[in-house]
Amino acid sequence: MKTIKALFNFFAILLVIFILLILLLNSFLSNNLSKRQIFNLVEKYSNTILVDIDEDNFEDTLDIKGVTNVVSHDVTDIHCGGKGFGSATSYYGFYYYGNDEPVVMFNGNISKVDESEFIADGKGFSYREKNIDGTVSDNTYYTEKILTGFYYYEWHF
């Protein structure tokens, strides 16, 4: 009986160590700016970003601390990091859309979403992605206006 209890304690300790390692690893993999930091970044550098958009050259935008990537297609998507790994990943950033309206987008491409699927949420809008069979997935998107044409976003997969 003592052997079983000792084994149980051993595996319980291993489980706790494993969970702590996962949490520690996740903190090392997190490199995103907070929502407030992204709002501040846009308010401070919006003119620089607009010049880069007009010139289709994002060198100056990429030099802004906290910007990790820029992708420009339907909208200009400015990545500000992410956290997690695998199917538990979140991405954060902002986009510029000349039509000055919130959209669901990923990597600069606007997703075709019925407006009725955009749900008012706080100061912004949320969207829940659907699976191919029409059921609601666990992938969520949130967007909120920062300045004219500029919108904060976060994707959670």
Side-chain angles (χ1 to χ4, degrees), residues 102-152:
V103 295
V104 175
M105 64 90 222
F106 188 73
N107 281 334
N109 296 302
I110 295 176
S111 299
K112 306 298 181 222
V113 174
D114 188 285
E115 280 188 36
S116 66
E117 296 178 83
F118 237 176
I119 308 298
D121 182 359
K123 294 181 180 179
F125 297 92
S126 291
Y127 165 73
R128 262 194 110 126
E129 200 171 54
K130 290 188 177 170
N131 295 314
I132 294 172
D133 65 4
T135 58
V136 177
S137 87
D138 62 349
N139 298 340
T140 60
Y141 176 81
Y142 175 80
T143 189
E144 183 178 322
K145 188 171 188 165
I146 303 171
L147 296 172
T148 301
F150 287 94
Y151 290 81
Y152 167 81

Side-chain angles (χ1 to χ4, degrees), residues 26-83:
N26 192 37
S27 69
F28 284 118
L29 294 176
S30 298
N31 68 341
N32 62 290
L33 296 179
S34 70
K35 181 178 173 183
R36 175 63 14 224
Q37 289 172 314
I38 291 172
F39 270 64
N40 290 341
L41 184 150
V42 171
E43 290 163 358
K44 183 174 182 179
Y45 294 105
S46 60
N47 291 333
T48 300
I49 296 164
L50 288 171
V51 168
D52 280 4
I53 291 169
D54 285 343
E55 295 176 355
D56 196 29
N57 178 346
F58 298 98
E59 216 170 283
D60 290 336
T61 299
L62 287 166
D63 285 341
I64 298 169
K65 185 178 180 188
V67 171
T68 60
N69 194 26
V70 177
V71 179
S72 191
H73 297 295
D74 303 328
V75 301
T76 301
D77 179 2
I78 297 146
H79 302 238
C80 294
K83 64 182 178 182

Side-chain angles (χ1 to χ4, degrees), residues 2-22:
K2 284 185 177 185
T3 306
I4 293 174
K5 189 173 182 178
L7 272 173
F8 177 80
N9 288 339
F10 174 75
F11 284 112
I13 290 169
L14 278 179
L15 180 61
V16 168
I17 291 170
F18 178 74
I19 291 170
L20 290 173
L21 284 173
I22 295 267

